[in-house]
Amino acid sequence: MENRLFKINDYAKEDEKAALKTVIKDTEKSCTVVWVVKPGQSVKCHKHPNADDIWIVIEGEGQFHPEVGKDVLVKAGDIIVNKPGDCHGVTNNSDKDFKFLGVLTPIPAQYEALE
């Protein structure tokens, strides 16, 4: 039987140079990842014209960017639903790690940088 149970901390990796995305599971229709954004790091504003990107904040707090130049405080327990074409990005201005799960569907998804 295929593994369907995953432990987030087994996949949450970090990099001192840049925010790091680690794939937890790819399926035919979705991709589930965990991001670790260290203090001072960012996930640059971008969009997926043909896919939803749902973010579930699991640790810390950060400044979510629903559009370039706009900030909204998000923290552990928040869920962000980015529909196709929605701008999304995040910056960690705190002194603790910011971690979130991302579920992108359907895949393959296009990626367009906005900054």
Side-chain angles (χ1 to χ4, degrees):
M1 179 166 73
E2 180 181 357
N3 184 22
R4 298 187 303 168
L5 178 63
F6 304 89
K7 303 286 185 192
I8 294 169
N9 287 334
D10 290 346
Y11 294 86
K13 309 297 182 204
E14 56 187 61
D15 186 323
E16 295 299 324
K17 296 177 185 170
L20 186 62
K21 172 180 77 172
T22 304
V23 175
I24 295 173
K25 179 70 176 173
D26 273 320
T27 71
E28 289 180 24
K29 297 183 179 186
S30 69
C31 180
T32 302
V33 302
V34 60
W35 279 91
V36 177
V37 186
K38 306 226 21 102
Q41 296 178 345
S42 296
V43 175
K44 295 195 183 261
C45 290
H46 63 282
K47 67 180 179 176
H48 308 283
N50 63 332
D52 291 334
D53 196 358
I54 300 164
W55 290 3
I56 303 161
V57 183
I58 55 176
E59 184 178 316
E61 63 180 44
Q63 295 295 323
F64 171 66
H65 313 302
E67 54 189 69
V68 176
K70 184 169 183 181
D71 297 334
V72 176
L73 179 66
V74 293
K75 52 189 169 184
D78 290 344
I79 299 171
I80 304 160
V81 178
N82 302 296
K83 297 179 296 186
D86 284 350
C87 172
H88 52 291
V90 70
T91 300
N92 182 352
N93 291 328
S94 76
D95 60 355
K96 297 183 178 150
D97 288 353
F98 179 78
K99 295 180 187 176
F100 66 95
L101 290 175
V103 180
L104 187 64
T105 187
I107 59 170
Q110 296 174 340
Y111 171 92
E112 292 182 18
L114 296 175
E115 293 185 289

